[in-house]
Amino acid sequence: MFVFVTIIFVFVAYTISIKFVYYRYSQVWPHLRNKISTPLNTVGNASFCPTRERSSALLRNSEEDEPRVTAGETRALLVTAHPDDECMFFAPTVLKLVESQATVYLLCLSTGNYSNQGLQRKRELLDSCAVLGIPSDHVTIIDDKELPDDPAVQWSTALISSLTLKHIRNYSISVVLTFDGSGVSGHANHIAIYVALRHLASAGRLPEGCQILSLHSISLLRKYVSVLELPVSWLLPSDFCCIIGWEEYKHAKKAMLCHRSQLLWFRQLYILFSRYMLVNTFQAITVETKNVKIY
């Protein structure tokens, strides 16, 4: 009897703690969003297409007017390695940013052609982005022989840096979101992006006001306990956090289901149990600024 009462007590207490986290998060979200808002910067050429230089990719289909940037606007660039990364790992962030009227761009650095399904996976990515709220003309898919979908191939740091920096400058990006040094799943392509963006930050090459956030990799146990992990993420320190509820989770699940070519049995379990379907926490990468001496 005592054990039963204890279990009930723990369950109720944990449920209350989860509800409390959602309540507190709704209060602090405006402050978190302001942390990644855009200073009024000079906007470059909005129709920039890196594929004109390096590869054939799906990008903006027409010449458009330059984006109009206002002070306090959030302009986010999500840099991923493969189609499905955007919803498998970053869905809570994308959904929260889109909901708050932020402008979100996606730079996917490969077509996911490891199993010769590149064309299909491009279409699936665009379908997924439509569900998440990223317009198709904000999506860039790189198809370059130096960036194959292959964990055995070392991706070019210089190429990743160049592509990302051009996007940051031409779309007046205020925050870049990507993987951390463990790549969440340990995939070498994920880690290569982190290495390249850390290089950009440490070299002082980022425009003033732009920051880079890396998605926390967590232990296997925390990764697959779904919403039960929420209080842990809330208590541990992070520089930015995105949490979604049941309605947004349904959108994240729908986006995952767009990647039909990847829906193996373990992906179905991932949708049900992964913490990344509900919460993202980020660590800021230190950005060095160039010190200009005036004589």
PDB file of all heavy atoms in Angstrom, residues 38 42-50 59-60 64-67 69 73 75-77 103 105-106 137-140 163-174:
ATOM      1  N   THR A  38      16.853  41.076 -34.190  1.00  0.00           N
ATOM      2  CA  THR A  38      17.812  41.650 -35.112  1.00  0.00           C
ATOM      3  C   THR A  38      18.063  43.122 -34.868  1.00  0.00           C
ATOM      4  O   THR A  38      17.109  43.898 -34.867  1.00  0.00           O
ATOM      5  CB  THR A  38      17.295  41.495 -36.568  1.00  0.00           C
ATOM      6  OG1 THR A  38      16.943  40.144 -36.789  1.00  0.00           O
ATOM      7  CG2 THR A  38      18.343  41.937 -37.569  1.00  0.00           C
ATOM      8  N   THR A  42      22.455  46.459 -42.388  1.00  0.00           N
ATOM      9  CA  THR A  42      22.341  46.623 -43.836  1.00  0.00           C
ATOM     10  C   THR A  42      22.032  45.286 -44.465  1.00  0.00           C
ATOM     11  O   THR A  42      22.679  44.287 -44.170  1.00  0.00           O
ATOM     12  CB  THR A  42      23.657  47.168 -44.408  1.00  0.00           C
ATOM     13  OG1 THR A  42      23.935  48.406 -43.767  1.00  0.00           O
ATOM     14  CG2 THR A  42      23.554  47.377 -45.904  1.00  0.00           C
ATOM     15  N   VAL A  43      21.071  45.261 -45.357  1.00  0.00           N
ATOM     16  CA  VAL A  43      20.645  44.027 -45.996  1.00  0.00           C
ATOM     17  C   VAL A  43      21.322  43.892 -47.347  1.00  0.00           C
ATOM     18  O   VAL A  43      21.397  44.834 -48.118  1.00  0.00           O
ATOM     19  CB  VAL A  43      19.117  44.017 -46.180  1.00  0.00           C
ATOM     20  CG1 VAL A  43      18.680  42.723 -46.834  1.00  0.00           C
ATOM     21  CG2 VAL A  43      18.437  44.195 -44.842  1.00  0.00           C
ATOM     22  N   GLY A  44      21.796  42.698 -47.634  1.00  0.00           N
ATOM     23  CA  GLY A  44      22.472  42.467 -48.903  1.00  0.00           C
ATOM     24  C   GLY A  44      21.506  42.027 -49.980  1.00  0.00           C
ATOM     25  O   GLY A  44      20.331  42.354 -49.960  1.00  0.00           O
ATOM     26  N   ASN A  45      22.022  41.236 -50.908  1.00  0.00           N
ATOM     27  CA  ASN A  45      21.244  40.775 -52.049  1.00  0.00           C
ATOM     28  C   ASN A  45      20.382  39.597 -51.656  1.00  0.00           C
ATOM     29  O   ASN A  45      20.867  38.500 -51.443  1.00  0.00           O
ATOM     30  CB  ASN A  45      22.201  40.378 -53.182  1.00  0.00           C
ATOM     31  CG  ASN A  45      21.461  39.847 -54.382  1.00  0.00           C
ATOM     32  OD1 ASN A  45      20.247  39.993 -54.477  1.00  0.00           O
ATOM     33  ND2 ASN A  45      22.196  39.241 -55.291  1.00  0.00           N
ATOM     34  N   ALA A  46      19.075  39.807 -51.589  1.00  0.00           N
ATOM     35  CA  ALA A  46      18.163  38.770 -51.103  1.00  0.00           C
ATOM     36  C   ALA A  46      18.084  37.581 -52.038  1.00  0.00           C
ATOM     37  O   ALA A  46      17.684  36.506 -51.647  1.00  0.00           O
ATOM     38  CB  ALA A  46      16.772  39.355 -50.914  1.00  0.00           C
ATOM     39  N   SER A  47      18.456  37.759 -53.312  1.00  0.00           N
ATOM     40  CA  SER A  47      18.328  36.669 -54.268  1.00  0.00           C
ATOM     41  C   SER A  47      19.628  35.882 -54.406  1.00  0.00           C
ATOM     42  O   SER A  47      19.822  35.172 -55.372  1.00  0.00           O
ATOM     43  CB  SER A  47      17.924  37.228 -55.640  1.00  0.00           C
ATOM     44  OG  SER A  47      18.886  38.154 -56.104  1.00  0.00           O
ATOM     45  N   PHE A  48      20.532  36.026 -53.451  1.00  0.00           N
ATOM     46  CA  PHE A  48      21.783  35.275 -53.453  1.00  0.00           C
ATOM     47  C   PHE A  48      21.524  33.784 -53.617  1.00  0.00           C
ATOM     48  O   PHE A  48      20.649  33.216 -52.980  1.00  0.00           O
ATOM     49  CB  PHE A  48      22.538  35.517 -52.139  1.00  0.00           C
ATOM     50  CG  PHE A  48      23.505  34.415 -51.803  1.00  0.00           C
ATOM     51  CD1 PHE A  48      24.659  34.252 -52.542  1.00  0.00           C
ATOM     52  CD2 PHE A  48      23.241  33.544 -50.764  1.00  0.00           C
ATOM     53  CE1 PHE A  48      25.546  33.238 -52.244  1.00  0.00           C
ATOM     54  CE2 PHE A  48      24.119  32.524 -50.465  1.00  0.00           C
ATOM     55  CZ  PHE A  48      25.272  32.374 -51.199  1.00  0.00           C
ATOM     56  N   CYS A  49      22.287  33.157 -54.470  1.00  0.00           N
ATOM     57  CA  CYS A  49      22.154  31.711 -54.690  1.00  0.00           C
ATOM     58  C   CYS A  49      23.530  31.074 -54.689  1.00  0.00           C
ATOM     59  O   CYS A  49      24.271  31.209 -55.660  1.00  0.00           O
ATOM     60  CB  CYS A  49      21.441  31.433 -56.018  1.00  0.00           C
ATOM     61  SG  CYS A  49      21.264  29.685 -56.393  1.00  0.00           S
ATOM     62  N   PRO A  50      23.917  30.404 -53.626  1.00  0.00           N
ATOM     63  CA  PRO A  50      25.247  29.804 -53.578  1.00  0.00           C
ATOM     64  C   PRO A  50      25.441  28.753 -54.645  1.00  0.00           C
ATOM     65  O   PRO A  50      26.554  28.465 -55.047  1.00  0.00           O
ATOM     66  CB  PRO A  50      25.308  29.179 -52.173  1.00  0.00           C
ATOM     67  CG  PRO A  50      23.892  28.948 -51.802  1.00  0.00           C
ATOM     68  CD  PRO A  50      23.133  30.081 -52.428  1.00  0.00           C
ATOM     69  N   LEU A  59      16.467  26.480 -54.635  1.00  0.00           N
ATOM     70  CA  LEU A  59      16.615  27.740 -53.929  1.00  0.00           C
ATOM     71  C   LEU A  59      15.501  28.655 -54.354  1.00  0.00           C
ATOM     72  O   LEU A  59      14.467  28.228 -54.857  1.00  0.00           O
ATOM     73  CB  LEU A  59      18.001  28.344 -54.224  1.00  0.00           C
ATOM     74  CG  LEU A  59      18.431  29.521 -53.362  1.00  0.00           C
ATOM     75  CD1 LEU A  59      18.564  29.090 -51.899  1.00  0.00           C
ATOM     76  CD2 LEU A  59      19.757  30.081 -53.838  1.00  0.00           C
ATOM     77  N   ARG A  60      15.673  29.944 -54.186  1.00  0.00           N
ATOM     78  CA  ARG A  60      14.679  30.919 -54.575  1.00  0.00           C
ATOM     79  C   ARG A  60      14.494  30.828 -56.080  1.00  0.00           C
ATOM     80  O   ARG A  60      15.440  30.782 -56.852  1.00  0.00           O
ATOM     81  CB  ARG A  60      15.142  32.318 -54.160  1.00  0.00           C
ATOM     82  CG  ARG A  60      15.505  32.395 -52.694  1.00  0.00           C
ATOM     83  CD  ARG A  60      16.137  33.710 -52.354  1.00  0.00           C
ATOM     84  NE  ARG A  60      15.141  34.776 -52.285  1.00  0.00           N
ATOM     85  CZ  ARG A  60      14.485  35.092 -51.194  1.00  0.00           C
ATOM     86  NH1 ARG A  60      14.679  34.416 -50.088  1.00  0.00           N
ATOM     87  NH2 ARG A  60      13.611  36.075 -51.197  1.00  0.00           N
ATOM     88  N   GLU A  64      13.625  38.627 -56.332  1.00  0.00           N
ATOM     89  CA  GLU A  64      12.641  39.286 -55.498  1.00  0.00           C
ATOM     90  C   GLU A  64      13.254  40.542 -54.911  1.00  0.00           C
ATOM     91  O   GLU A  64      14.463  40.753 -54.937  1.00  0.00           O
ATOM     92  CB  GLU A  64      12.188  38.372 -54.361  1.00  0.00           C
ATOM     93  CG  GLU A  64      11.507  37.105 -54.864  1.00  0.00           C
ATOM     94  CD  GLU A  64      11.157  36.187 -53.706  1.00  0.00           C
ATOM     95  OE1 GLU A  64      11.555  36.476 -52.570  1.00  0.00           O
ATOM     96  OE2 GLU A  64      10.502  35.170 -53.953  1.00  0.00           O
ATOM     97  N   ASP A  65      12.400  41.397 -54.371  1.00  0.00           N
ATOM     98  CA  ASP A  65      12.898  42.585 -53.701  1.00  0.00           C
ATOM     99  C   ASP A  65      13.693  42.185 -52.474  1.00  0.00           C
ATOM    100  O   ASP A  65      13.488  41.136 -51.882  1.00  0.00           O
ATOM    101  CB  ASP A  65      11.735  43.488 -53.261  1.00  0.00           C
ATOM    102  CG  ASP A  65      10.983  44.051 -54.460  1.00  0.00           C
ATOM    103  OD1 ASP A  65      11.611  44.145 -55.536  1.00  0.00           O
ATOM    104  OD2 ASP A  65       9.794  44.369 -54.302  1.00  0.00           O
ATOM    105  N   GLU A  66      14.613  43.043 -52.070  1.00  0.00           N
ATOM    106  CA  GLU A  66      15.391  42.781 -50.879  1.00  0.00           C
ATOM    107  C   GLU A  66      14.475  42.718 -49.662  1.00  0.00           C
ATOM    108  O   GLU A  66      13.505  43.468 -49.569  1.00  0.00           O
ATOM    109  CB  GLU A  66      16.423  43.890 -50.686  1.00  0.00           C
ATOM    110  CG  GLU A  66      17.487  43.888 -51.772  1.00  0.00           C
ATOM    111  CD  GLU A  66      18.508  44.982 -51.546  1.00  0.00           C
ATOM    112  OE1 GLU A  66      18.266  45.808 -50.640  1.00  0.00           O
ATOM    113  OE2 GLU A  66      19.513  45.011 -52.260  1.00  0.00           O
ATOM    114  N   PRO A  67      14.765  41.837 -48.703  1.00  0.00           N
ATOM    115  CA  PRO A  67      13.924  41.752 -47.508  1.00  0.00           C
ATOM    116  C   PRO A  67      13.993  43.045 -46.721  1.00  0.00           C
ATOM    117  O   PRO A  67      15.060  43.633 -46.557  1.00  0.00           O
ATOM    118  CB  PRO A  67      14.548  40.582 -46.717  1.00  0.00           C
ATOM    119  CG  PRO A  67      15.941  40.478 -47.228  1.00  0.00           C
ATOM    120  CD  PRO A  67      15.902  40.913 -48.658  1.00  0.00           C
ATOM    121  N   VAL A  69      14.057  44.745 -43.357  1.00  0.00           N
ATOM    122  CA  VAL A  69      14.372  44.359 -41.988  1.00  0.00           C
ATOM    123  C   VAL A  69      14.090  45.528 -41.074  1.00  0.00           C
ATOM    124  O   VAL A  69      14.506  46.654 -41.326  1.00  0.00           O
ATOM    125  CB  VAL A  69      15.859  43.948 -41.866  1.00  0.00           C
ATOM    126  CG1 VAL A  69      16.145  43.470 -40.457  1.00  0.00           C
ATOM    127  CG2 VAL A  69      16.190  42.875 -42.883  1.00  0.00           C
ATOM    128  N   GLU A  73      13.337  42.697 -35.270  1.00  0.00           N
ATOM    129  CA  GLU A  73      12.844  41.535 -36.005  1.00  0.00           C
ATOM    130  C   GLU A  73      13.795  40.363 -35.812  1.00  0.00           C
ATOM    131  O   GLU A  73      15.006  40.526 -35.755  1.00  0.00           O
ATOM    132  CB  GLU A  73      12.733  41.862 -37.499  1.00  0.00           C
ATOM    133  CG  GLU A  73      12.249  40.693 -38.351  1.00  0.00           C
ATOM    134  CD  GLU A  73      12.244  41.007 -39.830  1.00  0.00           C
ATOM    135  OE1 GLU A  73      12.577  42.153 -40.186  1.00  0.00           O
ATOM    136  OE2 GLU A  73      11.913  40.105 -40.618  1.00  0.00           O
ATOM    137  N   ARG A  75      15.398  37.158 -37.422  1.00  0.00           N
ATOM    138  CA  ARG A  75      15.682  36.512 -38.706  1.00  0.00           C
ATOM    139  C   ARG A  75      16.630  35.348 -38.405  1.00  0.00           C
ATOM    140  O   ARG A  75      17.801  35.560 -38.094  1.00  0.00           O
ATOM    141  CB  ARG A  75      16.283  37.501 -39.699  1.00  0.00           C
ATOM    142  CG  ARG A  75      15.374  38.690 -39.971  1.00  0.00           C
ATOM    143  CD  ARG A  75      16.000  39.673 -40.947  1.00  0.00           C
ATOM    144  NE  ARG A  75      16.129  39.106 -42.279  1.00  0.00           N
ATOM    145  CZ  ARG A  75      15.148  39.060 -43.178  1.00  0.00           C
ATOM    146  NH1 ARG A  75      13.948  39.558 -42.874  1.00  0.00           N
ATOM    147  NH2 ARG A  75      15.343  38.544 -44.376  1.00  0.00           N
ATOM    148  N   ALA A  76      16.097  34.137 -38.482  1.00  0.00           N
ATOM    149  CA  ALA A  76      16.837  32.941 -38.063  1.00  0.00           C
ATOM    150  C   ALA A  76      17.241  32.094 -39.257  1.00  0.00           C
ATOM    151  O   ALA A  76      16.471  31.930 -40.207  1.00  0.00           O
ATOM    152  CB  ALA A  76      15.978  32.109 -37.109  1.00  0.00           C
ATOM    153  N   LEU A  77      18.452  31.569 -39.190  1.00  0.00           N
ATOM    154  CA  LEU A  77      18.948  30.638 -40.202  1.00  0.00           C
ATOM    155  C   LEU A  77      19.227  29.300 -39.526  1.00  0.00           C
ATOM    156  O   LEU A  77      20.061  29.215 -38.617  1.00  0.00           O
ATOM    157  CB  LEU A  77      20.229  31.168 -40.848  1.00  0.00           C
ATOM    158  CG  LEU A  77      20.924  30.205 -41.830  1.00  0.00           C
ATOM    159  CD1 LEU A  77      20.038  29.922 -43.040  1.00  0.00           C
ATOM    160  CD2 LEU A  77      22.279  30.765 -42.275  1.00  0.00           C
ATOM    161  N   THR A 103      11.186  35.402 -39.080  1.00  0.00           N
ATOM    162  CA  THR A 103      11.494  34.967 -40.438  1.00  0.00           C
ATOM    163  C   THR A 103      12.534  33.865 -40.350  1.00  0.00           C
ATOM    164  O   THR A 103      13.624  34.072 -39.816  1.00  0.00           O
ATOM    165  CB  THR A 103      12.035  36.135 -41.279  1.00  0.00           C
ATOM    166  OG1 THR A 103      11.081  37.195 -41.283  1.00  0.00           O
ATOM    167  CG2 THR A 103      12.302  35.689 -42.707  1.00  0.00           C
ATOM    168  N   TYR A 105      14.866  30.873 -42.213  1.00  0.00           N
ATOM    169  CA  TYR A 105      15.487  30.323 -43.420  1.00  0.00           C
ATOM    170  C   TYR A 105      16.120  28.978 -43.069  1.00  0.00           C
ATOM    171  O   TYR A 105      16.548  28.752 -41.929  1.00  0.00           O
ATOM    172  CB  TYR A 105      16.573  31.259 -43.953  1.00  0.00           C
ATOM    173  CG  TYR A 105      16.057  32.579 -44.461  1.00  0.00           C
ATOM    174  CD1 TYR A 105      15.891  33.652 -43.592  1.00  0.00           C
ATOM    175  CD2 TYR A 105      15.736  32.758 -45.804  1.00  0.00           C
ATOM    176  CE1 TYR A 105      15.419  34.879 -44.046  1.00  0.00           C
ATOM    177  CE2 TYR A 105      15.260  33.984 -46.276  1.00  0.00           C
ATOM    178  CZ  TYR A 105      15.116  35.031 -45.393  1.00  0.00           C
ATOM    179  OH  TYR A 105      14.631  36.236 -45.852  1.00  0.00           O
ATOM    180  N   LEU A 106      16.193  28.096 -44.066  1.00  0.00           N
ATOM    181  CA  LEU A 106      16.818  26.791 -43.868  1.00  0.00           C
ATOM    182  C   LEU A 106      17.904  26.588 -44.914  1.00  0.00           C
ATOM    183  O   LEU A 106      17.669  26.751 -46.117  1.00  0.00           O
ATOM    184  CB  LEU A 106      15.786  25.663 -43.990  1.00  0.00           C
ATOM    185  CG  LEU A 106      16.346  24.239 -44.007  1.00  0.00           C
ATOM    186  CD1 LEU A 106      17.027  23.902 -42.691  1.00  0.00           C
ATOM    187  CD2 LEU A 106      15.262  23.218 -44.321  1.00  0.00           C
ATOM    188  N   ASP A 137      10.665  29.311 -50.733  1.00  0.00           N
ATOM    189  CA  ASP A 137      11.720  30.199 -51.211  1.00  0.00           C
ATOM    190  C   ASP A 137      12.675  30.627 -50.106  1.00  0.00           C
ATOM    191  O   ASP A 137      13.601  31.414 -50.341  1.00  0.00           O
ATOM    192  CB  ASP A 137      11.133  31.425 -51.914  1.00  0.00           C
ATOM    193  CG  ASP A 137      10.239  32.256 -51.013  1.00  0.00           C
ATOM    194  OD1 ASP A 137       9.915  31.795 -49.901  1.00  0.00           O
ATOM    195  OD2 ASP A 137       9.853  33.361 -51.418  1.00  0.00           O
ATOM    196  N   HIS A 138      12.476  30.106 -48.906  1.00  0.00           N
ATOM    197  CA  HIS A 138      13.426  30.309 -47.811  1.00  0.00           C
ATOM    198  C   HIS A 138      14.265  29.053 -47.581  1.00  0.00           C
ATOM    199  O   HIS A 138      15.021  28.999 -46.606  1.00  0.00           O
ATOM    200  CB  HIS A 138      12.696  30.666 -46.521  1.00  0.00           C
ATOM    201  CG  HIS A 138      12.152  32.054 -46.497  1.00  0.00           C
ATOM    202  ND1 HIS A 138      11.706  32.669 -45.341  1.00  0.00           N
ATOM    203  CD2 HIS A 138      11.994  32.973 -47.490  1.00  0.00           C
ATOM    204  CE1 HIS A 138      11.274  33.885 -45.619  1.00  0.00           C
ATOM    205  NE2 HIS A 138      11.447  34.089 -46.910  1.00  0.00           N
ATOM    206  N   VAL A 139      14.120  28.070 -48.460  1.00  0.00           N
ATOM    207  CA  VAL A 139      14.813  26.789 -48.291  1.00  0.00           C
ATOM    208  C   VAL A 139      15.898  26.646 -49.354  1.00  0.00           C
ATOM    209  O   VAL A 139      15.638  26.797 -50.538  1.00  0.00           O
ATOM    210  CB  VAL A 139      13.832  25.604 -48.397  1.00  0.00           C
ATOM    211  CG1 VAL A 139      14.576  24.277 -48.247  1.00  0.00           C
ATOM    212  CG2 VAL A 139      12.734  25.724 -47.348  1.00  0.00           C
ATOM    213  N   THR A 140      17.119  26.354 -48.916  1.00  0.00           N
ATOM    214  CA  THR A 140      18.235  26.095 -49.820  1.00  0.00           C
ATOM    215  C   THR A 140      18.736  24.677 -49.574  1.00  0.00           C
ATOM    216  O   THR A 140      19.043  24.321 -48.436  1.00  0.00           O
ATOM    217  CB  THR A 140      19.394  27.078 -49.574  1.00  0.00           C
ATOM    218  OG1 THR A 140      18.916  28.403 -49.657  1.00  0.00           O
ATOM    219  CG2 THR A 140      20.502  26.860 -50.600  1.00  0.00           C
ATOM    220  N   LEU A 163      29.341  29.116 -47.397  1.00  0.00           N
ATOM    221  CA  LEU A 163      27.906  29.066 -47.695  1.00  0.00           C
ATOM    222  C   LEU A 163      27.085  29.714 -46.585  1.00  0.00           C
ATOM    223  O   LEU A 163      26.165  30.494 -46.839  1.00  0.00           O
ATOM    224  CB  LEU A 163      27.464  27.613 -47.889  1.00  0.00           C
ATOM    225  CG  LEU A 163      27.979  26.893 -49.134  1.00  0.00           C
ATOM    226  CD1 LEU A 163      27.664  25.407 -49.060  1.00  0.00           C
ATOM    227  CD2 LEU A 163      27.373  27.506 -50.393  1.00  0.00           C
ATOM    228  N   THR A 164      27.435  29.394 -45.350  1.00  0.00           N
ATOM    229  CA  THR A 164      26.686  29.937 -44.212  1.00  0.00           C
ATOM    230  C   THR A 164      26.869  31.444 -44.103  1.00  0.00           C
ATOM    231  O   THR A 164      25.899  32.186 -43.899  1.00  0.00           O
ATOM    232  CB  THR A 164      27.138  29.261 -42.907  1.00  0.00           C
ATOM    233  OG1 THR A 164      27.003  27.845 -43.024  1.00  0.00           O
ATOM    234  CG2 THR A 164      26.299  29.751 -41.737  1.00  0.00           C
ATOM    235  N   LEU A 165      28.097  31.908 -44.252  1.00  0.00           N
ATOM    236  CA  LEU A 165      28.374  33.341 -44.109  1.00  0.00           C
ATOM    237  C   LEU A 165      27.651  34.151 -45.176  1.00  0.00           C
ATOM    238  O   LEU A 165      27.135  35.245 -44.900  1.00  0.00           O
ATOM    239  CB  LEU A 165      29.876  33.585 -44.188  1.00  0.00           C
ATOM    240  CG  LEU A 165      30.343  35.010 -43.874  1.00  0.00           C
ATOM    241  CD1 LEU A 165      29.898  35.434 -42.478  1.00  0.00           C
ATOM    242  CD2 LEU A 165      31.861  35.102 -43.998  1.00  0.00           C
ATOM    243  N   LYS A 166      27.583  33.636 -46.385  1.00  0.00           N
ATOM    244  CA  LYS A 166      26.876  34.346 -47.455  1.00  0.00           C
ATOM    245  C   LYS A 166      25.384  34.447 -47.148  1.00  0.00           C
ATOM    246  O   LYS A 166      24.753  35.470 -47.415  1.00  0.00           O
ATOM    247  CB  LYS A 166      27.108  33.659 -48.795  1.00  0.00           C
ATOM    248  CG  LYS A 166      28.519  33.858 -49.329  1.00  0.00           C
ATOM    249  CD  LYS A 166      28.737  33.128 -50.636  1.00  0.00           C
ATOM    250  CE  LYS A 166      30.167  33.329 -51.145  1.00  0.00           C
ATOM    251  NZ  LYS A 166      30.422  32.585 -52.398  1.00  0.00           N
ATOM    252  N   HIS A 167      24.828  33.383 -46.590  1.00  0.00           N
ATOM    253  CA  HIS A 167      23.422  33.437 -46.193  1.00  0.00           C
ATOM    254  C   HIS A 167      23.208  34.455 -45.076  1.00  0.00           C
ATOM    255  O   HIS A 167      22.232  35.217 -45.101  1.00  0.00           O
ATOM    256  CB  HIS A 167      22.950  32.053 -45.732  1.00  0.00           C
ATOM    257  CG  HIS A 167      22.432  31.193 -46.830  1.00  0.00           C
ATOM    258  ND1 HIS A 167      23.246  30.635 -47.790  1.00  0.00           N
ATOM    259  CD2 HIS A 167      21.175  30.802 -47.147  1.00  0.00           C
ATOM    260  CE1 HIS A 167      22.512  29.945 -48.643  1.00  0.00           C
ATOM    261  NE2 HIS A 167      21.258  30.017 -48.272  1.00  0.00           N
ATOM    262  N   ILE A 168      24.087  34.451 -44.109  1.00  0.00           N
ATOM    263  CA  ILE A 168      23.959  35.391 -42.991  1.00  0.00           C
ATOM    264  C   ILE A 168      23.974  36.829 -43.506  1.00  0.00           C
ATOM    265  O   ILE A 168      23.135  37.654 -43.109  1.00  0.00           O
ATOM    266  CB  ILE A 168      25.102  35.177 -41.985  1.00  0.00           C
ATOM    267  CG1 ILE A 168      24.941  33.830 -41.273  1.00  0.00           C
ATOM    268  CG2 ILE A 168      25.143  36.304 -40.948  1.00  0.00           C
ATOM    269  CD1 ILE A 168      26.141  33.424 -40.432  1.00  0.00           C
ATOM    270  N   ARG A 169      24.915  37.137 -44.370  1.00  0.00           N
ATOM    271  CA  ARG A 169      25.049  38.505 -44.872  1.00  0.00           C
ATOM    272  C   ARG A 169      23.912  38.898 -45.800  1.00  0.00           C
ATOM    273  O   ARG A 169      23.386  40.014 -45.720  1.00  0.00           O
ATOM    274  CB  ARG A 169      26.392  38.655 -45.586  1.00  0.00           C
ATOM    275  CG  ARG A 169      27.587  38.649 -44.633  1.00  0.00           C
ATOM    276  CD  ARG A 169      28.893  38.648 -45.397  1.00  0.00           C
ATOM    277  NE  ARG A 169      30.039  38.799 -44.487  1.00  0.00           N
ATOM    278  CZ  ARG A 169      31.305  38.602 -44.855  1.00  0.00           C
ATOM    279  NH1 ARG A 169      31.592  38.245 -46.098  1.00  0.00           N
ATOM    280  NH2 ARG A 169      32.278  38.769 -43.967  1.00  0.00           N
ATOM    281  N   ASN A 170      23.529  38.003 -46.678  1.00  0.00           N
ATOM    282  CA  ASN A 170      22.543  38.363 -47.687  1.00  0.00           C
ATOM    283  C   ASN A 170      21.107  38.363 -47.183  1.00  0.00           C
ATOM    284  O   ASN A 170      20.249  38.993 -47.787  1.00  0.00           O
ATOM    285  CB  ASN A 170      22.685  37.443 -48.904  1.00  0.00           C
ATOM    286  CG  ASN A 170      23.904  37.776 -49.735  1.00  0.00           C
ATOM    287  OD1 ASN A 170      23.874  38.645 -50.582  1.00  0.00           O
ATOM    288  ND2 ASN A 170      25.012  37.085 -49.465  1.00  0.00           N
ATOM    289  N   TYR A 171      20.855  37.668 -46.096  1.00  0.00           N
ATOM    290  CA  TYR A 171      19.512  37.667 -45.524  1.00  0.00           C
ATOM    291  C   TYR A 171      19.466  38.380 -44.179  1.00  0.00           C
ATOM    292  O   TYR A 171      18.467  38.301 -43.473  1.00  0.00           O
ATOM    293  CB  TYR A 171      19.001  36.224 -45.380  1.00  0.00           C
ATOM    294  CG  TYR A 171      18.839  35.519 -46.710  1.00  0.00           C
ATOM    295  CD1 TYR A 171      19.595  34.390 -47.014  1.00  0.00           C
ATOM    296  CD2 TYR A 171      17.965  36.007 -47.673  1.00  0.00           C
ATOM    297  CE1 TYR A 171      19.459  33.758 -48.233  1.00  0.00           C
ATOM    298  CE2 TYR A 171      17.824  35.376 -48.895  1.00  0.00           C
ATOM    299  CZ  TYR A 171      18.579  34.253 -49.177  1.00  0.00           C
ATOM    300  OH  TYR A 171      18.448  33.635 -50.390  1.00  0.00           O
ATOM    301  N   SER A 172      20.541  39.069 -43.824  1.00  0.00           N
ATOM    302  CA  SER A 172      20.598  39.855 -42.584  1.00  0.00           C
ATOM    303  C   SER A 172      20.149  39.024 -41.381  1.00  0.00           C
ATOM    304  O   SER A 172      19.266  39.405 -40.619  1.00  0.00           O
ATOM    305  CB  SER A 172      19.739  41.115 -42.704  1.00  0.00           C
ATOM    306  OG  SER A 172      20.054  42.039 -41.699  1.00  0.00           O
ATOM    307  N   ILE A 173      20.800  37.877 -41.212  1.00  0.00           N
ATOM    308  CA  ILE A 173      20.432  36.919 -40.168  1.00  0.00           C
ATOM    309  C   ILE A 173      20.875  37.414 -38.790  1.00  0.00           C
ATOM    310  O   ILE A 173      21.994  37.901 -38.621  1.00  0.00           O
ATOM    311  CB  ILE A 173      21.064  35.542 -40.463  1.00  0.00           C
ATOM    312  CG1 ILE A 173      20.536  34.979 -41.793  1.00  0.00           C
ATOM    313  CG2 ILE A 173      20.825  34.569 -39.319  1.00  0.00           C
ATOM    314  CD1 ILE A 173      19.036  34.744 -41.835  1.00  0.00           C
ATOM    315  N   SER A 174      19.996  37.263 -37.825  1.00  0.00           N
ATOM    316  CA  SER A 174      20.342  37.647 -36.450  1.00  0.00           C
ATOM    317  C   SER A 174      20.776  36.464 -35.603  1.00  0.00           C
ATOM    318  O   SER A 174      21.530  36.621 -34.639  1.00  0.00           O
ATOM    319  CB  SER A 174      19.148  38.334 -35.772  1.00  0.00           C
ATOM    320  OG  SER A 174      18.042  37.449 -35.681  1.00  0.00           O
TER     321      SER A 174
END
